[in-house]
Amino acid sequence: MLKKGNKLYSILTGSCPRCHEESMYLDENPYHMGKIFKMHEKCSHCDLKYKIEPSFFYGAMYVSYGVGIAFAVAAFVIANLFLGAGLIETFIAIIITLVVFMPVIMRVSRNIWINMFIKYDAKATSKSLNS
Ligand SMILES: [Zn+2]
């Protein structure tokens, strides 16, 4: 089970990497394309500033490259090995997968990126700590 305190929880849900208490994003649904990169300035629970430095999230592009490959490999395995699709069909399946999951890939990449720099801190959930 995915629980708070696990990095995967923050990565998959897009919650604050430090306290896991709330979403970093204004709109949790990545398919609302206009808002895909709209994030809160900071966490209202632990006061963490998400944009650690200017253009911090540019680094997420490197991560999205890897995440994209992971999705492509998954599409390849499913289409080619499980469904027995030919080379062309497999290729098309990979393209469609990447396009369809693009918003998810972008979001997950940002989540992975910020989680590489910020550790979960259970104590950070309490507001009194920051007073
Ligand atoms: Zn937080």
Side-chain angles (χ1 to χ4, degrees):
M1 262 302 281
L2 216 49
K3 285 187 300 200
K4 284 180 187 173
N6 189 323
K7 268 195 190 304
L8 263 180
Y9 176 86
S10 168
I11 288 168
L12 294 178
T13 60
S15 56
C16 169
R18 189 157 70 183
C19 69
H20 294 187
E21 282 298 322
E22 65 177 41
S23 175
M24 292 189 286
Y25 299 97
L26 296 184
D27 190 333
E28 288 189 49
N29 186 343
Y31 286 94
H32 293 158
M33 298 293 257
K35 292 179 187 158
I36 181 166
F37 291 134
K38 294 255 165 64
M39 301 173 80
H40 295 287
E41 180 118 357
K42 49 171 113 171
C43 177
S44 71
H45 285 264
C46 70
D47 221 29
L48 172 72
K49 213 171 147 228
Y50 298 135
K51 208 171 172 182
I52 297 165
E53 54 190 29
S55 59
F56 169 70
F57 282 107
Y58 279 101
M61 283 194 304
Y62 301 107
V63 179
S64 72
Y65 187 68
V67 175
I69 288 176
F71 272 81
V73 168
F76 172 83
V77 168
I78 291 167
N80 193 272
L81 302 185
F82 290 163
L83 303 177
L87 207 60
I88 304 287
E89 290 99 318
T90 303
F91 184 70
I92 293 168
I94 290 172
I95 302 294
I96 291 172
T97 301
L98 287 180
V99 169
V100 167
F101 286 100
M102 211 262 291
V104 175
I105 293 170
M106 304 297 241
R107 280 274 174 99
V108 166
S109 304
R110 284 194 166 213
N111 302 345
I112 292 174
W113 181 247
I114 194 166
N115 267 283
M116 282 161 62
F117 295 91
I118 293 162
K119 284 201 173 70
Y120 175 68
D121 182 356
K123 294 188 201 109
T125 53
S126 123
K127 261 192 168 174
S128 58
L129 230 98
N130 296 303
S131 58

